[in-house]
């Protein structure tokens, strides 16, 4: 019975790594630079070397390690095939097979948003719930769906790509994905700032946001908490869009809990309150009791989840 | 190794039953009346008796029967607990335990729409695809989601309740579920007829539908096929609503195929064509290759699926 497990979270600039006990205690975490030269061909070798060095340092025998879980910033199929990671320069190949050869341990790969969801399920805001949807509100909007303790990758690696659910027919600006009216355009950090700038430009309504050179999501939520009416309207509309989309998602997978993370989630309880208010309005009656929680692992969710994924492989 | 399996589909007026080989051949099918007296307390006893009689008739030993699968018209939890079947008079109880006691065979229960989806996966329009979403367009809109060959029941038995995804903020008429703007209000047989009556009342546009005393979904699709402009617009809008909702669903569970059944699906290829056209428009790029097919088992999908469910229990 293995005692240890390694979690890896590959990002566009750094690779985060964590050494865990199989029961979920983080023993050590560290980072290496993501070498994107030559189509990212050195990344997996660097990861393998760093993992093996750490095991040597800690005097841990490979046979005591359950394996290496790895989150990557792009779609990953059930069998470990990456379908393109533009950020890393990767094309289509099986990252599990590749890293297994290099590290000599079992490997489980998955999309980073799905891994973060697994992490929050294992040791974070969704602990104790094996059916959950995690929503990451950052520059974009990511999602991770966990059913019976396992992540839903989807046939095209697009399971949980909820940021690109189309929620507005009238949008004219184009989303990063090429469509218009995606959830991400309204509920990401970028999205709420876009909405703020629009209303600040098109109305004369007084607001403390007007005194700022650049408006951020944090400042919008802070101003709303202090009673700023224009900011409160923005927070309300943000909650309406997110609550409505989550109600649609509940009609599909009917989870126990929604866990909300990413930079925007630092707004705290107000985000949960507005989102769940509109969720109640739009949800099918059987799902109205679905719980809401904030993510708690922050940037470590990815390594926790990757470690958990290999345990469930 | 068992050779036979029984599938049961409990409806509001009749119970359909089927005797299958474990490889999916339907050997015999029959029906009994659904006795709804006294809160539906006789239904499961009648089912058990009918199943046991059939096995006796056919000289089949119980040890050669894998079990009884059963679809019921309401939400069913993973453990076999029915959360209320208004149609049958049932409250909350575990139908699997109950029928197992009566019939002396393993029982697997599930929502009837989910069972129909399993049936289409096993021997129908979705044969060969273990990740699929089935959409049933009848009086209402039901959904059944199959992931890795198993149905997704959902924590509240509401997995695949896609008819109640809210897709229109401007609706004023109330859906049967109590909300407004549900997918069912636009894409069910009832929904497209409602839309037809509205446009016939509010415009002077010529249409052969005007000569009919009562308009049905079939007549709308038939008129559209013959080039009737008003009917074509209705079919187009139906496809837009359905295609958009299926694109949202693809962002959540990312299936291999959508299988469309129910009365409206008798319209045939035109329904697939319009729906997939709008699906392409609204879908996330990674999911645009998702396949579409018509259901092929008609009213037998439920017994096929119930039989399949017990094999996968």
């Amino acid at each position: 019975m293995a005692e240890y497990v390694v979690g890896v979270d590959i990002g566009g600039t750094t690779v985060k790594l964590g050494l865990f006990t199989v029961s979920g205690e983080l023993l050590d975490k560290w980072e290496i630079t993501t070498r994107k030269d030559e189509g990212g061909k050195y990344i997996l070798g660097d990861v393998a070397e760093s993992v093996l060095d750490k095991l040597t340092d800690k005097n841990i025998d490979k046979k005591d390690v359950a394996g290496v879980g790895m989150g990557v910033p792009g779609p990953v199929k059930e069998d470990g095939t990456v379908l393109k990671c533009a950020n890393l320069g990767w094309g289509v190949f099986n990252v599990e097979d590749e890293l297994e050869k290099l590290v000599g341990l079992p490997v489980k790969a998955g999309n980073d948003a799905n891994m973060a969801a697994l992490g929050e399920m294992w040791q974070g805001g969704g602990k104790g719930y094996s059916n959950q949807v995690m929503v990451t509100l950052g520059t974009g909007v990511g999602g991770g769906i966990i059913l019976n303790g396992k992540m839903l990758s989807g046939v095209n690696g697009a399971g949980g790509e909820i940021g690109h659910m189309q929620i507005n027919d009238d949008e004219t600006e184009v989303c990063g994905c090429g469509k218009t009216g995606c959830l991400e355009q309204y509920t990401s950090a970028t999205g709420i700032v876009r909405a703020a700038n629009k209303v600040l430009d098109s109305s004369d309504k007084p607001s403390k946001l007007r005194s700022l050179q650049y408006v951020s999501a944090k400042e919008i939520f802070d101003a709303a908490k202090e009673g700023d009416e224009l900011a409160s309207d923005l927070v309300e509309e943000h909650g309406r869009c997110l609550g409505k989309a989550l109600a649609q998602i509940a009609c599909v997978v009917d989870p126990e809990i929604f866990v909300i993370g990413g930079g925007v989630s630092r707004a705290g309880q107000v985000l949960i309150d507005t989102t769940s208010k509109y969720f109640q309005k739009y949800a099918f009656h059987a799902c109205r009791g679905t719980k809401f929680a904030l993510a708690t692992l922050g940037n470590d969710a990815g390594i926790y989840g990757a470690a958990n994924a290999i345990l469930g492989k």
Side-chain angles (χ1 to χ4, degrees), chain A residues 7 25 29 38 49 53 58 69 86 94 105 108 115 134 141 196 198 201 203 216 227 239 241 247:
Chain A
E25 191 191 345
K29 66 172 175 171
E38 298 175 55
E49 193 186 324
D53 283 353
K58 298 272 182 187
N94 192 307
L105 285 165
K108 176 72 193 163
M115 289 300 193
M134 182 172 175
V141 171
K198 258 180 156 170
D201 283 352
S203 83
S216 72
C241 291

Side-chain angles (χ1 to χ4, degrees), chain A residues 70-147:
Chain A
M70 177 170 61
V72 304
V76 184
K77 288 173 69 170
E78 197 71 37
D79 70 352
T81 305
V82 166
L83 294 174
K84 217 175 137 174
C85 283
N87 271 349
L88 307 179
W90 286 356
V92 178
F93 71 108
N94 192 307
V95 281
E96 285 183 10
D97 292 352
E98 197 72 22
L99 185 61
E100 273 181 11
K101 269 184 242 156
L102 293 165
V103 80
L105 285 165
V107 172
K108 176 72 193 163
N111 170 267
D112 53 3
N114 290 345
M115 289 300 193
L118 270 185
E120 292 291 340
M121 174 195 80
W122 196 29
Q123 299 294 337
K127 193 170 177 175
Y129 297 97
S130 53
N131 291 281
Q132 62 175 266
V133 174
M134 182 172 175
V135 184
T136 304
L137 306 174
T139 313
V141 171
I145 296 172
I146 311 289
L147 299 173

Side-chain angles (χ1 to χ4, degrees), chain A residues 32 40 117 128 174 182 216 257 282 297 310:
Chain A
I32 59 174
V174 178
C182 293
S216 72
I257 190 168
Y282 292 115
L297 299 176
I310 189 73

Side-chain angles (χ1 to χ4, degrees), chain A residues 94-289:
Chain A
N94 192 307
V95 281
E96 285 183 10
D97 292 352
E98 197 72 22
L99 185 61
E100 273 181 11
K101 269 184 242 156
L102 293 165
V103 80
L105 285 165
V107 172
K108 176 72 193 163
N111 170 267
D112 53 3
N114 290 345
M115 289 300 193
L118 270 185
E120 292 291 340
M121 174 195 80
W122 196 29
Q123 299 294 337
K127 193 170 177 175
Y129 297 97
S130 53
N131 291 281
Q132 62 175 266
V133 174
M134 182 172 175
V135 184
T136 304
L137 306 174
T139 313
V141 171
I145 296 172
I146 311 289
L147 299 173
N148 295 322
K150 303 217 169 182
M151 63 184 162
L152 192 171
S153 299
V155 169
N156 303 294
E161 274 289 359
I162 63 170
H164 300 288
M165 292 171 73
Q166 206 266 15
I167 62 156
N168 182 0
D169 284 341
D170 302 324
E171 183 63 52
T172 53
E173 283 183 43
V174 178
C175 176
C177 78
K179 295 193 299 156
T180 53
C182 293
L183 179 64
E184 175 165 305
Q185 292 184 282
Y186 310 94
T187 59
S188 63
T190 329
I192 192 167
V193 169
R194 184 177 76 108
N197 287 329
K198 258 180 156 170
V199 67
L200 289 169
D201 283 352
S202 65
S203 83
D204 290 329
K205 202 165 183 172
S207 167
K208 60 178 57 168
L209 297 177
R210 292 195 184 276
S211 63
L212 303 168
Q213 193 172 2
Y214 298 107
V215 174
S216 72
K218 182 181 185 310
E219 284 154 338
I220 298 167
F221 279 94
D222 285 348
K225 286 179 202 167
E226 289 162 22
D228 186 280
E229 206 178 303
L230 185 145
S232 297
D233 289 349
L234 288 165
V235 166
E236 200 72 13
E237 178 61 10
H238 179 274
R240 194 188 71 82
C241 291
L242 186 58
K244 181 176 159 181
L246 298 186
Q248 292 176 323
I249 293 167
C251 284
V252 184
V253 292
D254 186 17
E256 289 167 282
I257 190 168
F258 289 103
V259 178
I260 306 185
V264 176
S265 74
R266 284 196 283 266
Q269 193 58 35
V270 60
L271 175 66
I272 299 288
D273 291 346
T274 50
T275 305
S276 59
K277 179 176 82 179
Y278 285 100
F279 175 81
Q280 291 289 325
K281 174 177 174 182
Y282 292 115
F284 184 55
H285 53 76
C287 308
R288 284 188 195 138

Side-chain angles (χ1 to χ4, degrees), chain A residues 2-18:
Chain A
E3 285 175 66
Y4 304 100
V5 58
V6 177
V8 178
D9 184 12
I10 303 187
T13 48
T14 59
V15 178
K16 295 190 187 70
L17 300 102

Side-chain angles (χ1 to χ4, degrees), chain A residues 31-53:
Chain A
E31 292 186 1
I32 59 174
T33 301
T34 308
R35 267 207 286 166
K36 289 186 287 186
D37 326 339
E38 298 175 55
K41 66 188 274 198
Y42 302 112
I43 297 174
L44 292 180
D46 290 350
V47 166
E49 193 186 324
S50 182
V51 168
L52 294 174
D53 283 353

